[in-house]
Amino acid sequence: MTRNGAGHITDPSTRRRFLATAGAAGASALLAGCSAEQTNGDETPTDPGDGTETEPGATAGSDGPDTLVVGTYDSFVDAPSTSPGAWIKETFESEFDATLVWQTPPNDVNYYIERAEAGVETDADVYVGLNADDLVRIDDAVSEPLFDDPGELTRRDRVRDGLEFDPEGRAVPYDTGYISLVYDSTETEAPETFEGLLEEDHRGELIAQNPGQSTTGRAFLLHTIHRYGDDYLDFWADLQENDVRVLGSWNDAYSAWMGGEAPMVVSYSTDQVFASQEGADLDEHQIRFLDGEGYANPEGMARFTDANAPDLAQEFLAFMLRADVQGEIAQRNVQFPATDDAELPEEYSQYAHEPPTAVTFGYDELAEGLEGWISEWERQFAGN
């Protein structure tokens, strides 16, 4: 399959899912119908040995402290292209006297929120894949803390400035991405500024994501709020007037862009990393930081308060911050490392672009404003 006859892949299932998309606020599967698939990290569901599927609370034949159950989003473990899960499992198990079991519920961290709300044990030790707005939503939804402070972690002081997003220290950053425009320079030249998106020359040229359904779309909305403050809805009204397309998820938007439906898409500034690996024409995968800024969206990991193996969970968090592990996570998750000394190949910086200025909202700002911002956006966007 090709885009515009250019000979590069349009099937989004062959592309790395940079960040797992989140469901709309408050929308999730009922707990009774929810199951968390557990995998061994090589795309094979863990089997307890009797021909039946592993139950959500099981630990693949071992419930002792030598088994670590780690929840995450599915593409961290079994993306069709590349993902760090299998490498992390193999490396961790080779160095620790433990078995690592990945748990990938279909609704990501919402699964554990629902269990906590229902008074049911989480049956996992660690979650990998939190961001700041997830944490705000979790703290608002549950009456008792879902995660605890993991204590002193070796190398936590190597996390880069500006990436820590939990004022209570529970969530530990392990990588970060920057939201940018990705554009096909054979079809258009992306504007330098947000205001440039409103020009007639760019009418109908941008595809974005719904901030109520997509992590990427939420980050882009937050960037516009950071840029325009209380006037952000005016900017979005003008963007609608200029025929922006807003689709549900990152996968929806990127697939439409790869299909040639518009020359610009809201995505990640590491886009060229995977594009180069796929042999794509990089002229069709150019990066633009509007107003010289990229919205930082760090991902974190945290230990569950009711972890069955709290000490092993702490060792895992420290393991994930090691320089060699940070380098592997960044490359396999197609993101930037969280620490300042990750081991990366020299050519990585050629294709992974960092913005001149990184912007983001902290926990307190999101706790105060996020729900209202998204609700206001949804009302206006639906009404126009």
Side-chain angles (χ1 to χ4, degrees):
M1 291 178 284
T2 62
R3 183 167 75 89
N4 297 332
H8 59 135
I9 299 169
T10 62
D11 183 355
S13 70
T14 65
R15 309 258 333 159
R16 175 73 187 96
R17 292 182 182 177
F18 295 85
L19 291 177
T21 53
S28 55
L30 291 174
L31 183 62
C34 198
S35 65
E37 180 181 53
Q38 306 207 35
T39 72
N40 61 16
D42 59 3
E43 304 183 24
T44 305
T46 304
D47 191 294
D50 61 0
T52 62
E53 292 185 3
T54 306
E55 293 298 319
T59 52
S62 172
D63 58 3
D66 292 334
T67 294
L68 184 74
V69 180
V70 181
T72 190
Y73 51 91
D74 59 358
S75 62
F76 192 83
V77 176
D78 61 0
S81 49
T82 179
S83 52
W87 184 90
I88 290 171
K89 173 181 168 66
E90 180 181 357
T91 306
F92 185 77
E93 291 181 344
S94 71
E95 298 182 21
F96 296 83
D97 184 19
T99 297
L100 192 161
V101 176
W102 291 112
Q103 193 176 75
T104 55
N107 54 342
D108 304 326
V109 74
N110 292 317
Y111 171 78
Y112 303 103
I113 296 174
E114 291 161 2
R115 292 181 71 85
E117 289 178 314
V120 179
E121 290 185 2
T122 54
D123 284 331
D125 300 297
V126 173
Y127 189 81
V128 172
L130 297 168
N131 58 35
D133 44 284
D134 286 331
L135 200 59
V136 167
R137 186 160 47 86
I138 289 166
D139 289 345
D140 185 59
V142 300
S143 57
E144 297 295 330
L146 189 61
F147 303 110
D148 65 11
D149 186 330
E152 186 174 347
L153 291 177
T154 304
R155 297 181 46 78
R156 187 164 186 170
D157 60 350
R158 302 310 299 256
V159 172
R160 292 186 291 159
D161 291 343
L163 294 189
E164 291 278 7
F165 59 85
D166 181 6
E168 297 183 21
R170 299 159 298 174
V172 182
Y174 66 86
D175 74 5
T176 190
Y178 298 100
I179 307 303
S180 69
L181 296 187
V182 175
Y183 69 99
D184 181 351
S185 66
T186 69
E187 296 291 331
T188 193
E189 185 63 26
E192 299 280 351
T193 65
F194 279 101
E195 288 296 311
L197 288 173
L198 308 179
E199 295 174 359
E200 181 64 28
D201 287 348
H202 297 300
R203 177 174 295 277
E205 287 195 340
L206 177 65
I207 301 175
Q209 301 86 10
N210 188 317
Q213 301 177 27
S214 162
T215 300
T216 318
R218 194 152 54 248
F220 186 63
L221 172 65
L222 291 171
H223 196 176
T224 65
I225 296 169
H226 191 279
R227 171 67 178 78
Y228 290 100
D230 292 340
D231 296 328
Y232 78 100
L233 289 177
D234 293 336
F235 170 78
W236 275 95
D238 292 340
L239 204 57
Q240 282 183 271
E241 181 65 25
N242 213 34
D243 294 339
V244 64
R245 288 187 63 196
V246 174
L247 302 181
S249 69
W250 176 87
N251 198 52
D252 296 333
Y254 199 89
S255 177
W257 177 75
M258 287 288 286
E261 296 181 25
M264 295 188 292
V265 65
V266 174
S267 192
Y268 293 86
S269 66
T270 44
D271 184 76
Q272 288 187 350
V273 173
F274 198 82
S276 66
Q277 294 171 357
E278 291 291 297
D281 182 352
L282 295 189
D283 286 340
E284 299 174 353
H285 291 262
Q286 292 295 296
I287 306 299
R288 177 73 79 220
F289 293 114
L290 295 171
D291 292 314
E293 297 176 345
Y295 192 89
N297 198 19
E299 291 185 289
M301 52 191 175
R303 182 176 65 183
F304 285 107
T305 303
D306 62 355
N308 291 319
D311 293 340
L312 189 58
Q314 185 181 39
E315 289 187 286
F316 175 79
L317 298 180
F319 162 84
M320 292 281 280
L321 293 178
R322 278 183 3 199
D324 60 325
V325 177
Q326 279 285 290
E328 289 291 339
I329 292 173
Q331 293 177 77
R332 294 167 185 267
N333 213 30
V334 199
Q335 292 284 26
F336 289 92
T339 63
D340 58 11
D341 63 347
E343 298 174 4
L344 287 164
E346 290 185 10
E347 63 268 19
Y348 199 80
S349 62
Q350 179 181 353
Y351 301 116
H353 301 277
E354 292 194 77
T357 303
V359 301
T360 195
F361 281 113
Y363 178 96
D364 291 339
E365 294 166 305
L366 293 173
E368 182 177 348
L370 181 61
E371 184 177 350
W373 291 330
I374 292 178
S375 295
E376 289 173 348
W377 181 92
E378 289 175 334
R379 285 195 298 270
Q380 173 172 293
F381 206 86
N384 286 351

